[in-house]
Amino acid sequence: LEQSLTNDRQNKYAPGGYFTFQGMPAGITPEQINEAWQRVQGVLADLEQRKTALDLREKDLQVLSDDIDNRIRRIADERLNIENLARQLDERIAKFQEQVKLVRNDEAAALKRNAQTYASFERSKAADLLSELWRTEKGKDDVLKTFEFMDKDAVNEILAAMTPPIAQDVMKMRLRVSKEAASSATPAK
């Protein structure tokens, strides 16, 4: 029985019979498989090229993004610097306005009239009036500005008639008075 099974290859119980399988028809030829493989290789190569192009584009975009970030940061720094400079300028202007009394062009006519009026008064009377004005900050500004348009001799006589502390204070503060530069354009009437 053993020999008959060994010699009969058609029997599935013969040695090696368990592991023989009948092939199935493929329905595709080796040429078709080779063509499909070549197409797959082409698609893979195309995908690799696209990946490389996308990687390069991503690097370019990252460089652009970094450049934009740097520019934004520099602009923010410049804006902060400009704001600091503007704040410093505002502080300097405020300090200047505290220290220097500016006679504006539009005040000149009224100040000239007041100066002529004070100059026409008796010196002791003008000194009393101006000393009374000198007690307030606004009054100090008015006195200093008025003196700018008054005759020098009249100013000296009025200062001589004032009390020494007020006269000294006026003379010290007169150093801070400045006239506004005349504008080049004449106002239309």
Side-chain angles (χ1 to χ4, degrees), residues 86-101:
R87 189 172 28 261
Q88 289 173 357
L89 180 63
D90 290 341
E91 290 170 0
R92 288 179 67 190
I93 288 171
K95 186 176 179 181
F96 175 80
Q97 288 175 343
E98 286 176 12
Q99 292 177 348
V100 176
K101 305 302 178 197

Side-chain angles (χ1 to χ4, degrees), residues 11 58 88 120 150:
N11 188 345
E58 183 180 8
Q88 289 173 357
S120 68
M150 195 178 287

